[in-house]
Structures are given as structure tokens and as C-alpha cells.
Amino acid sequence: MSGVKVTRDQIVDRAYELLAEAGLSGLSMRRVALDLGVQPGALYYHVASKQELLAVVAARILKGLPGVAKDPREAAGDFRSALLRVRDGAEVVSFVQAYRPDLLVPTHALRRLFTGKYDERRAEWAARTVVHYVLGFVAEEQNHAELVRAGIVEEEPAHSGDSDEAFGFGIDAILNGLS
Amino acid sequence: MSGVKVTRDQIVDRAYELLAEAGLSGLSMRRVALDLGVQPGALYYHVASKQELLAVVAARILKGLPGVAKDPREAAGDFRSALLRVRDGAEVVSFVQAYRPDLLVPTHALRRLFTGKYDERRAEWAARTVVHYVLGFVAEEQNHAELVRAGIVEEEPAHSGDSDEAFGFGIDAILNGLS
DNA sequence: ACCTGAACACCGTTCAAGT
DNA sequence: ACCTGAACACCGTTCAAGT
């Protein structure tokens, strides 16, 4: 009836907010449409598919990450922090890395940091090694958090600083081995 | 009408086959029920939820992996091979690692291998570092493969041995840094 | 150009009722 | 004990028709 106008930016904004608030299972095309006061089909005039939408959302998750990082350790930490800011952030970014690897800033930034020590091929591999570790680590953190939230799994008594230490242990080992 | 009997094993078997053949998007409770000639609701007498079913399927994916591996490098390679044998294997195992970490053999095996060099906490961290890397690496490999299969992304001309080399580069660096 | 209305082909899960 | 039938509350995507 009404014929409300929607922009691509509004769609991306709402999708990002839904992801942050409700996680990946709460982010549906139909819910985005409902929140924007529009029929589901209307979204497909602005966005080709949910996958394309997720790619743009992933880019937004990583927006603000330094294109040129100081050192790899800090870059990995910033990467993890950005992922943790949004529910299921690692899963979304992990998918997009396979979908549109060019959209992901951290890999570029890390590759540049290794370009001095290695040839181009190995610098790429080194960057991906770090990225894979971070994504794997945070994916487990967030999957666990989702299960706790759903009441399927009980929270472990281990205090939260523990996972920071575990994360640090891992990248230190990796960066150590890479140099 | 008919009242066909189904066992939990049949359900798990069919779920595993569907995953291997059609990937995670092809594995639905309704499809499993259809293939077994039973109504969807019947499955819930044998299995609490799809998540529980996935946990058992994940255990089957990793079945046959040595509980006591020779060295970490070989253990990591075996782990990757097992994941690659089934479509979306890494994603399924990644989820189950957060759901029921106790079910996963490779983490145990790797932890044991590090128990000599480290105290208990660090041995656990070292094992998880390797596991996170392997899961992250294979998840990207398989996500990419799914997108190629769906025709959403074109296959890259890089020959397949390349990813073996990239994988080896990563674990070598990690294991190097861990010792 | 952009949206509605309505459909298509699906999901996971629950539960009274049947055997 | 185990299954059916049927519902509940959803999905992503397409597309003729309207404005």
C-alpha cells in the first residue's frame, strides 16, 4: 500500500544492528524488511542476495581497522577486538573471506607487514596463517557464547581474562615461528 | 499410516551421508526423515535436536583419527584430511567444538603431545592453537569450494597442490614457534 | 524506478492422537 | 514405545502487477 522508499545504506545499517543485537540467527531478510516497513521482496531491488548483504556487513565490522598496522601482534589483537564487538562476527567474516577475500582489510595489512621478511607468496601465507588462527579462535569463543546465551551449555567458571591469555599465547607462538 | 521404525544409528548414518553429498545446506531434519520414510517429528524421539545430531556427525567425521598421534605435524595433517573428506566438515566440527569440546579427539591427541614440553595449561593452549589454525584454514577452503560449486565465485587457476603447501607453511611456523 | 502481494519451496520443533 | 498428522512460526527468493 504505502510504498515506503528504502536505500541500500538503510538495509546495511539495519542488518548490521540486527547482527550485533541478535546474532546471525536473528538476522533475516524478512526481519530487516519488517523493521524498515517494507515487503521482503523490496530488498532485492537494492541487494542481490543475503550473501552480498553479509559481505557488506562484514566490511563494516572491520571498518576502522588500520590499513597499516604497527606490528603483527597488535594487528591480530585489533582484529580479534573488532570481531568480538559483534555477535557471530567471526563466522560472518569467515564466510566473507571465502566469498570476497578482497574486501577484508586485515589480511592486506598483515601481508604488508610480512612483505619485508618474505617473498610475496610466503608473505601471503604468513598473513593467512595469522588470520586463520584469529578467526578460528574467535569463532569458538563466539559459538560458545551463543550456546551459553541459549542456555544449551553452562558458563564455565574460568574468568574472562583467561581467553585473552590463551589468545596471546597462540599469536606469540605463531609470530615467533614466523620470524 | 505405515509406522516404519527408525533407529538412532540410521538417523546419524543418513545425516552423515547427506552432509558428505550435499553439504550443510543439504542436511535438514526433514530431508533425513523423508529419506528414512518417516515423518519429521519422528526423529525427535531419537535425537533431542539438530545440534545434538550434528555433534554426533562431527564425531563420526573425526572417527579413525589416531588417539595417540606420532608427531604434531602429522596429527595436524590427518586432522585436515579428515575434515576435507566431508563437505563443510570444518564448519560442523567448529560448531561442535564449542558445543561439546569433549567429543573431539584431535584436541586430546594434540594436548598429549604437548604435555611433555609444557605445563597443563599451556599444553591445552598449544593444542588449541593448532586446532584453531586447522579449522580456520579448512573452513576457508571448504567455504570457497561451496561457492565455486554454486557458481557464485569462479575457480582460481592456482593448482590444488598450492593449498597443501600453504597449509604446511602455516603449521611448520606454528609448531616451530611452539617449541 | 521502486514497491506490493502473493506465491514457491523450503526450514526446526512440538504435540495430541493413534497403534 | 514409537510414529503420524498437523500445526506453529519461521526462512530466502522470485515476479507479475501496480504506482
Side-chain angles (χ1 to χ4, degrees), chain A residues 12-132:
Chain A
V12 177
D13 283 350
R14 193 67 200 119
Y16 176 85
E17 288 165 22
L18 275 172
L19 184 67
E21 293 163 11
L24 202 50
S25 71
L27 167 51
S28 70
M29 298 300 275
R30 297 183 102 100
R31 185 63 208 270
V32 170
L34 186 74
D35 289 358
L36 297 177
V38 106
Q39 294 295 317
L43 301 183
Y44 290 84
Y45 194 88
H46 304 278
V47 140
S49 64
K50 189 180 183 180
Q51 297 192 341
E52 200 217 82
L53 179 55
L54 282 179
V56 184
V57 169
R60 172 155 311 186
I61 293 176
L62 301 176
K63 197 179 62 180
L65 283 191
V68 266
K70 320 92 205 205
D71 66 305
R73 199 187 197 280
E74 202 165 349
D78 290 348
F79 187 23
R80 172 165 174 253
S81 298
L83 294 173
L84 284 176
R85 239 164 245 136
V86 176
R87 276 175 72 176
D88 293 325
E91 204 168 337
V92 173
V93 170
S94 200
F95 162 74
V96 175
Q97 200 192 14
Y99 180 51
R100 299 282 308 269
D102 49 301
L103 290 181
L104 299 192
V105 188
T107 318
H108 293 334
L110 281 164
R111 184 168 15 84
R112 240 168 275 147
L113 288 168
F114 290 117
T115 306
K117 298 191 201 293
Y118 293 114
D119 59 293
E120 222 175 308
R121 264 176 102 213
R122 278 160 224 278
E124 173 78 25
W125 290 348
R128 291 175 102 108
T129 299
V130 175
V131 168
H132 286 144

Side-chain angles (χ1 to χ4, degrees), chain B residues 44-68:
Chain B
Y44 290 84
Y45 194 88
H46 304 279
V47 140
S49 63
K50 190 180 183 181
Q51 298 192 341
E52 200 216 81
L53 179 55
L54 282 179
V56 185
V57 168
R60 172 154 312 182
I61 292 175
L62 301 176
K63 198 179 61 181
L65 283 191
V68 266

Side-chain angles (χ1 to χ4, degrees), chain B residues 98-135:
Chain B
Y99 182 50
R100 299 282 308 270
D102 49 301
L103 290 180
L104 299 192
V105 188
T107 316
H108 293 334
L110 281 164
R111 184 167 16 82
R112 242 168 274 147
L113 287 168
F114 289 116
T115 307
K117 297 191 202 292
Y118 293 114
D119 60 294
E120 223 175 307
R121 264 176 103 213
R122 279 159 222 278
E124 173 78 24
W125 289 348
R128 290 175 103 108
T129 299
V130 175
V131 168
H132 286 143
Y133 169 70
V134 175
L135 286 176

Side-chain angles (χ1 to χ4, degrees), chain B:
Chain B
M1 276 223 189
S2 50
V4 193
K5 292 242 178 185
V6 189
T7 67
R8 189 178 153 100
D9 277 346
Q10 289 177 59
I11 294 170
V12 176
D13 283 349
R14 193 67 201 119
Y16 176 85
E17 289 165 20
L18 275 172
L19 184 68
E21 293 163 10
L24 201 50
S25 70
L27 167 51
S28 70
M29 299 300 275
R30 298 182 100 102
R31 184 62 207 269
V32 169
L34 185 75
D35 288 358
L36 297 177
V38 105
Q39 294 295 318
L43 302 183
Y44 290 84
Y45 194 88
H46 304 279
V47 140
S49 63
K50 190 180 183 181
Q51 298 192 341
E52 200 216 81
L53 179 55
L54 282 179
V56 185
V57 168
R60 172 154 312 182
I61 292 175
L62 301 176
K63 198 179 61 181
L65 283 191
V68 266
K70 321 93 205 207
D71 66 304
R73 197 187 199 280
E74 203 164 350
D78 290 349
F79 186 23
R80 171 165 175 254
S81 298
L83 295 174
L84 284 175
R85 238 165 244 135
V86 176
R87 275 175 74 177
D88 292 325
E91 204 168 337
V92 173
V93 170
S94 200
F95 163 74
V96 174
Q97 200 192 13
Y99 182 50
R100 299 282 308 270
D102 49 301
L103 290 180
L104 299 192
V105 188
T107 316
H108 293 334
L110 281 164
R111 184 167 16 82
R112 242 168 274 147
L113 287 168
F114 289 116
T115 307
K117 297 191 202 292
Y118 293 114
D119 60 294
E120 223 175 307
R121 264 176 103 213
R122 279 159 222 278
E124 173 78 24
W125 289 348
R128 290 175 103 108
T129 299
V130 175
V131 168
H132 286 143
Y133 169 70
V134 175
L135 286 176
F137 190 96
V138 179
E140 193 193 330
E141 274 187 294
Q142 293 184 318
N143 277 338
H144 190 80
E146 289 300 318
L147 290 165
V148 168
R149 226 182 294 244
I152 295 167
V153 119
E154 325 89 42
E155 183 139 38
E156 270 159 70
H159 35 318
S160 61
D162 215 39
S163 59
D164 287 5
E165 217 179 334
F167 180 78
F169 176 87
I171 31 158
D172 282 346
I174 292 172
L175 295 177
N176 206 2
L178 282 174
S179 64

